[in-house]
Amino acid sequence: MQQEQASPEVQARVQASFERQGLMGHLGARIAHIAPGRVHIVLPCRPEVTQQNGYFHAGATSAIADSAGGYAAFTLFPENSSVLTVEYKINLLAPAGGDHIEAVGAVVKSGRTLTVCQLEVFGVQSGQRSLVATGQQTLICVNARPEE
Amino acid sequence: MQQEQASPEVQARVQASFERQGLMGHLGARIAHIAPGRVHIVLPCRPEVTQQNGYFHAGATSAIADSAGGYAAFTLFPENSSVLTVEYKINLLAPAGGDHIEAVGAVVKSGRTLTVCQLEVFGVQSGQRSLVATGQQTLICVNARPEE
Amino acid sequence: MQQEQASPEVQARVQASFERQGLMGHLGARIAHIAPGRVHIVLPCRPEVTQQNGYFHAGATSAIADSAGGYAAFTLFPENSSVLTVEYKINLLAPAGGDHIEAVGAVVKSGRTLTVCQLEVFGVQSGQRSLVATGQQTLICVNARPEE
Amino acid sequence: MQQEQASPEVQARVQASFERQGLMGHLGARIAHIAPGRVHIVLPCRPEVTQQNGYFHAGATSAIADSAGGYAAFTLFPENSSVLTVEYKINLLAPAGGDHIEAVGAVVKSGRTLTVCQLEVFGVQSGQRSLVATGQQTLICVNARPEE
């Protein structure tokens, strides 16, 4: 795992946006790492994020994967721009269990308008990681201010 | 919109499973309709389900879409079986706003092992509906009891 | 099935572009219908388009589905613009057999930059149609001439 | 790039199935490498595989990506079983040009029933490779002989 970090400015931009996402706080998710083109988000296990059999709900798994990819793209965007998810696809490879899950969004291709990210989610139990979901996401860079 | 309803037994099975999904209760989602092969789930707007600009978070939109498709498949499964999402893909067509959003999962093809659903999510404001997301999902039917 | 037709100008633009697609001619595909926001492409069965069991190859099924969606989007684009597929996802629902297959691409959401289409492919045997594949596609509108 | 090779038996099974795919021969595709859980397929550039601007058609790119993933899964299947594509999703990252394109299908998760592959397609010009498409695919293992 690369330990590279994004610049303090970029980290602050990502963190500030993340804190405005009511859903992330409500789920109990937090950002674990911000590198240029790669963001990790961690979600601890608790009953509020489960499906009917006690595993992490695919919706919770997807939510942090989507945010991780979105912020990974965002780290490479110019200032005063914003990011929107165009679409994503995710395969749930195995029941997602563990102390927490960790989503890693990583930019595969960064274009002027569109960015494509790879999404991976790991279940982590006592420090052991196993891949529980893998996805692919398309994002669009939009000007944060209305067109003038 | 068809008003057909699933049998009371199927409705009870779906409702009971839904109530075990900690995430759905935590988000504030509820089932609005259960027809054979089609389930509607509603999620009211509140800060706990938003992204950074105050719209519904793609993760919340996807979570109820995934559950709606999963239960739509489940309505057609034999008793004592369970449903797992294999994968899904979703396009976020427009910022999801409104009083609430409503996800509709509908079975397109029901096979012995795999089921394919279409997913649609509508933003509803003062009774006016607009399509905010569309998706496609693959599910697998598994025996609820461990293999004997 | 709606019988609406696109304007003669749009039909001519689509047909001219289609004829420049070497792959479509090589496969033996032809356009069957051009409506505003909806295009049908037909591919007759012959050994050159099959997989190992004699059914239509998923690659052939996907190729005409992709082109049908692309041209469906293109019918709504301004003159002097061009269409590129950003991504698509397709479920192969059943082995694709029959005298021919027919792909229908239909615009779900037409934006200034991005368009989303639904894709359906039918196997047709002696006039009977059955759905063999269903998909979802994102396209981008680009200026056909280099930026000046 | 790993140079590991599948056993001669597995290579022969894959090659024999590939040769029965009428579409692959018709496009001019050939298998370039067969490793356990990873298969490479090469498609030379010629007018018969292009779209309207002279690049490889997304349908051709997808067709070899789909076959590469399918055979990658197949290398890990038991004898007397067969492989079917359930679904795939592909992002076209850049216009696909070059002397040839090369698709690499690699197994991410191999289950008893379902297998998930990652798909990558590279454009190759004078030995230089660039990623032109990336995808994700779900496959199912079926018994080659009818159930007895």
Side-chain angles (χ1 to χ4, degrees):
Chain A
M1 191 63 64
Q2 307 152 247
Q3 292 306 319
E4 196 184 358
Q5 300 236 345
S7 72
E9 291 73 21
V10 166
Q11 295 206 41
R13 273 207 292 149
V14 168
Q15 193 66 47
S17 173
F18 184 84
E19 282 164 17
R20 289 199 309 276
Q21 292 201 334
L23 180 66
M24 290 295 110
H26 189 54
L27 294 179
R30 61 177 179 78
I31 294 185
H33 193 73
I34 305 170
R38 185 167 46 82
V39 166
H40 300 222
I41 294 177
V42 161
L43 178 66
C45 190
R46 53 186 190 125
E48 285 84 351
V49 296
T50 57
Q51 39 86 291
Q52 71 278 12
N53 301 315
Y55 294 104
F56 285 89
H57 194 288
T61 304
S62 302
I64 66 165
D66 172 53
S67 280
Y71 287 122
F74 190 57
T75 62
L76 306 183
F77 282 4
E79 241 186 304
N80 291 323
S81 60
S82 182
V83 61
L84 287 176
T85 300
V86 172
E87 60 84 37
Y88 68 86
K89 180 256 205 288
I90 191 162
N91 275 73
L92 291 317
L93 303 174
D99 305 324
H100 67 268
I101 53 175
E102 177 170 2
V104 181
V107 173
V108 172
K109 159 91 186 203
S110 178
R112 195 164 50 87
T113 305
L114 297 177
T115 292
V116 175
C117 284
Q118 189 182 18
L119 310 176
E120 290 184 309
V121 185
F122 301 89
V124 187
Q125 177 72 54
S126 312
Q128 288 220 298
R129 291 158 66 92
S130 68
L131 187 66
V132 297
T134 179
Q136 202 167 300
Q137 182 189 33
T138 309
L139 304 117
I140 191 164
C141 178
V142 290
N143 200 306
R145 286 177 292 193
E147 289 172 35
E148 292 159 289
Chain B
M1 192 60 68
Q2 309 152 246
Q3 291 305 318
E4 199 185 356
Q5 301 235 345
S7 72
E9 292 72 23
V10 166
Q11 294 206 41
R13 275 206 292 148
V14 169
Q15 192 67 47
S17 173
F18 184 84
E19 281 164 19
R20 290 200 307 276
Q21 293 201 332
L23 180 66
M24 290 294 110
H26 188 53
L27 294 179
R30 61 175 180 80
I31 294 186
H33 193 73
I34 306 170
R38 183 167 47 82
V39 166
H40 300 222
I41 295 177
V42 161
L43 179 65
C45 190
R46 53 187 192 125
E48 285 84 352
V49 295
T50 57
Q51 38 86 290
Q52 70 279 10
N53 301 315
Y55 294 104
F56 285 88
H57 194 287
T61 304
S62 302
I64 63 164
D66 173 52
S67 279
Y71 286 122
F74 190 55
T75 61
L76 305 184
F77 284 5
E79 242 187 303
N80 291 322
S81 60
S82 182
V83 61
L84 287 176
T85 300
V86 172
E87 60 84 36
Y88 67 86
K89 178 256 206 291
I90 191 162
N91 275 73
L92 292 317
L93 302 175
D99 305 323
H100 66 269
I101 53 175
E102 177 170 3
V104 181
V107 173
V108 172
K109 159 92 187 204
S110 177
R112 196 164 51 87
T113 306
L114 298 177
T115 292
V116 176
C117 284
Q118 189 181 19
L119 311 176
E120 291 184 307
V121 186
F122 300 88
V124 186
Q125 178 73 54
S126 312
Q128 288 220 298
R129 291 158 66 93
S130 68
L131 187 66
V132 297
T134 179
Q136 202 167 299
Q137 183 189 31
T138 309
L139 305 117
I140 191 164
C141 178
V142 292
N143 199 307
R145 286 178 291 194
E147 291 173 34
E148 292 158 287
Chain C
M1 191 63 65
Q2 309 153 246
Q3 290 306 319
E4 198 185 357
Q5 300 237 343
S7 73
E9 292 71 24
V10 166
Q11 294 207 40
R13 275 206 292 148
V14 168
Q15 192 66 47
S17 173
F18 184 83
E19 281 164 18
R20 289 200 308 276
Q21 292 201 334
L23 180 67
M24 289 295 110
H26 188 55
L27 294 179
R30 61 177 179 77
I31 294 186
H33 193 72
I34 306 170
R38 184 166 48 81
V39 166
H40 300 222
I41 294 177
V42 161
L43 179 67
C45 190
R46 52 187 190 125
E48 285 84 351
V49 295
T50 59
Q51 38 85 293
Q52 70 279 12
N53 301 315
Y55 294 105
F56 285 89
H57 194 288
T61 304
S62 302
I64 64 165
D66 173 52
S67 279
Y71 287 121
F74 190 56
T75 61
L76 305 183
F77 283 4
E79 242 187 302
N80 292 322
S81 59
S82 182
V83 61
L84 287 175
T85 299
V86 171
E87 61 82 38
Y88 68 86
K89 178 254 206 291
I90 191 162
N91 275 72
L92 290 319
L93 302 175
D99 305 323
H100 65 269
I101 52 175
E102 177 170 2
V104 181
V107 173
V108 172
K109 160 91 186 204
S110 178
R112 196 165 49 87
T113 305
L114 298 177
T115 293
V116 175
C117 285
Q118 189 182 18
L119 310 176
E120 291 184 308
V121 186
F122 300 89
V124 185
Q125 177 72 53
S126 313
Q128 288 220 299
R129 291 157 66 91
S130 68
L131 188 66
V132 296
T134 179
Q136 201 167 299
Q137 182 189 32
T138 310
L139 305 118
I140 190 165
C141 178
V142 292
N143 199 307
R145 287 178 289 195
E147 289 174 33
E148 293 158 288
Chain D
M1 191 63 65
Q2 307 153 247
Q3 291 306 320
E4 198 184 355
Q5 301 237 344
S7 73
E9 291 73 21
V10 166
Q11 295 207 40
R13 274 206 293 149
V14 169
Q15 192 67 47
S17 172
F18 184 84
E19 282 164 18
R20 288 200 308 275
Q21 292 200 334
L23 180 67
M24 289 294 110
H26 189 54
L27 294 179
R30 61 178 180 78
I31 294 185
H33 193 73
I34 305 170
R38 184 167 46 81
V39 166
H40 300 221
I41 294 178
V42 161
L43 179 65
C45 190
R46 53 186 190 125
E48 285 85 352
V49 295
T50 58
Q51 37 86 291
Q52 69 279 12
N53 301 315
Y55 294 105
F56 285 88
H57 193 287
T61 304
S62 302
I64 65 165
D66 173 54
S67 280
Y71 286 121
F74 190 57
T75 61
L76 305 182
F77 283 4
E79 240 187 305
N80 292 322
S81 60
S82 182
V83 61
L84 286 176
T85 300
V86 171
E87 62 83 38
Y88 67 86
K89 179 257 205 291
I90 192 162
N91 276 72
L92 291 317
L93 302 174
D99 306 324
H100 66 268
I101 54 175
E102 178 170 0
V104 181
V107 173
V108 172
K109 160 91 186 204
S110 178
R112 195 165 49 87
T113 305
L114 297 178
T115 293
V116 176
C117 285
Q118 189 182 20
L119 311 176
E120 290 185 308
V121 186
F122 300 89
V124 186
Q125 177 73 54
S126 313
Q128 288 221 298
R129 290 159 66 92
S130 69
L131 187 66
V132 297
T134 179
Q136 202 167 299
Q137 183 189 32
T138 309
L139 304 117
I140 191 165
C141 178
V142 292
N143 200 305
R145 286 178 290 194
E147 289 173 35
E148 293 157 289

